[in-house]
Amino acid sequence: MEKINRADIEKLQNMIDESNRIVFFGGAGVSTESGIPDFRSVDGLYHQKYDYPPETILSHTFFVHHTEEFYRFYHDKMLCLDAKPNDAHKKLAELEQAGKLSAIVTQNIDGLHQMAGSRKVLELHGSIHRNFCQKCGAQYDAQYIKKGSLIPRCQKCGGLIKPDVVLYEECLDDHVMSEAICEISQADLLIIGGTSLVVYPAAGLIHYYRGKKLVLINKSATSQDRNADFVMQGKIGEILKQIKVR
């Protein structure tokens, strides 16, 4: 990968300096620098060998009918509890604390934004850190899922515990979507990073942005590059690390 152009960093810095209501919309590429695999890159989950494709395993139907296989994959690939926030997570938290960034909208379920200190995080696809009994609604954390039996059961009623993550075939939370739309529509700078913008309905959120500063940061080209005001290719942590918060 080519070295990041200094002029590009300065352009991004100026756009951030001139903005007071920044919204960041991120995908799996934000967490790859923390060691969490994405789905569609060369090393992503879609290119690894399992008995079923990841998108099949991570579906509601598969969870219901092949619960053990679902949890075997989930334990192996989704419960990345040792991961730590990288430079992208940390810089976004700094921008929020400085009053520059109003919200993070994320497709990730790892909780690393919150671990870095971000407070307004809208999790479109849920979180591995929230789990609930399908029978009585009792709540459990990720450690309970990680350290317990392969198929987690409720201590209170014995019901099956399901991660509070949005699986394929399931709907996104209406309240979270409404908040995301509201934040994006009011932003004066929208930075989209680490996402290929192919997973809907989340990818459709870009169309609610009404501002004139749309920035796309990704390791590879996206279908929306032509609609952006500024495009940067590279690792998002390496790029945001060079931004000064002021």
Side-chain angles (χ1 to χ4, degrees):
M1 186 175 295
E2 295 181 4
K3 186 178 179 180
I4 300 167
N5 189 302
R6 187 65 226 170
D8 286 346
I9 295 294
E10 290 177 1
K11 183 174 181 178
L12 178 61
Q13 180 75 64
N14 290 335
M15 295 176 83
I16 289 173
D17 289 345
E18 295 166 359
S19 304
N20 296 301
R21 193 179 178 92
I22 303 169
V23 169
F24 178 83
F25 175 36
V30 177
S31 292
T32 53
E33 291 170 75
S34 294
I36 297 178
D38 64 3
F39 279 74
R40 291 176 174 80
S41 69
V42 174
D43 300 318
L45 295 179
Y46 283 165
H47 295 274
Q48 297 180 22
K49 301 299 182 182
Y50 293 95
D51 292 339
Y52 302 89
E55 58 191 349
T56 298
I57 298 173
L58 295 174
S59 69
H60 179 81
T61 298
F62 197 90
F63 174 78
V64 172
H65 296 289
H66 305 276
T67 309
E68 184 174 331
E69 282 294 318
F70 170 88
Y71 267 114
R72 186 171 289 114
F73 179 89
Y74 186 80
H75 275 259
D76 188 31
K77 294 298 179 183
M78 312 302 286
L79 276 179
C80 304
L81 301 186
D82 294 328
K84 302 297 181 187
N86 61 49
D87 289 321
H89 300 107
K90 294 173 184 176
K91 188 64 65 174
L92 291 168
E94 286 182 46
L95 286 167
E96 182 188 49
Q97 289 156 15
K100 300 283 289 182
L101 185 141
S102 61
I104 291 171
V105 180
T106 181
Q107 296 171 286
N108 296 340
I109 60 175
D110 50 49
L112 291 180
H113 284 297
Q114 291 92 329
M115 196 182 299
S118 293
R119 300 175 66 86
K120 180 79 171 188
V121 182
L122 301 173
E123 297 172 310
L124 297 175
H125 296 158
S127 173
I128 62 171
H129 298 285
R130 299 188 301 270
N131 305 272
F132 64 94
C133 173
Q134 292 187 302
K135 189 174 180 181
C136 75
Q139 302 287 318
Y140 293 90
D141 63 16
Q143 287 292 344
Y144 183 85
I145 307 301
K146 186 80 170 180
K147 295 180 178 179
S149 56
L150 179 60
I151 300 178
R153 293 284 176 179
C154 179
Q155 290 181 326
K156 298 179 180 179
C157 74
L160 176 63
I161 296 173
K162 181 184 181 296
D164 187 14
V165 299
V166 179
L167 302 176
Y168 289 101
E169 305 168 346
E170 295 179 346
C171 297
L172 273 63
D173 182 274
D174 286 340
H175 178 68
V176 175
M177 279 291 286
S178 294
E179 274 201 88
I181 289 169
C182 180
E183 290 289 348
I184 288 172
S185 65
Q186 296 181 53
D188 61 1
L189 167 60
L190 177 60
I191 302 175
I192 299 177
T195 174
S196 54
L197 291 171
V198 298
V199 177
Y200 282 82
L205 289 172
I206 186 175
H207 302 301
Y208 290 95
Y209 180 56
R210 297 290 178 260
K212 296 181 179 179
K213 291 182 287 185
L214 174 61
V215 176
L216 293 185
I217 304 172
N218 200 42
K219 287 197 294 185
S220 56
T222 78
S223 61
Q224 294 296 327
D225 284 3
R226 65 185 181 278
N227 298 319
D229 299 292
F230 185 41
V231 176
M232 295 183 73
Q233 288 194 4
K235 293 182 178 180
I236 190 163
E238 293 181 0
I239 290 171
L240 291 186
K241 182 180 181 180
Q242 300 180 60
I243 296 298
K244 295 179 175 63
V245 178
R246 52 201 181 199

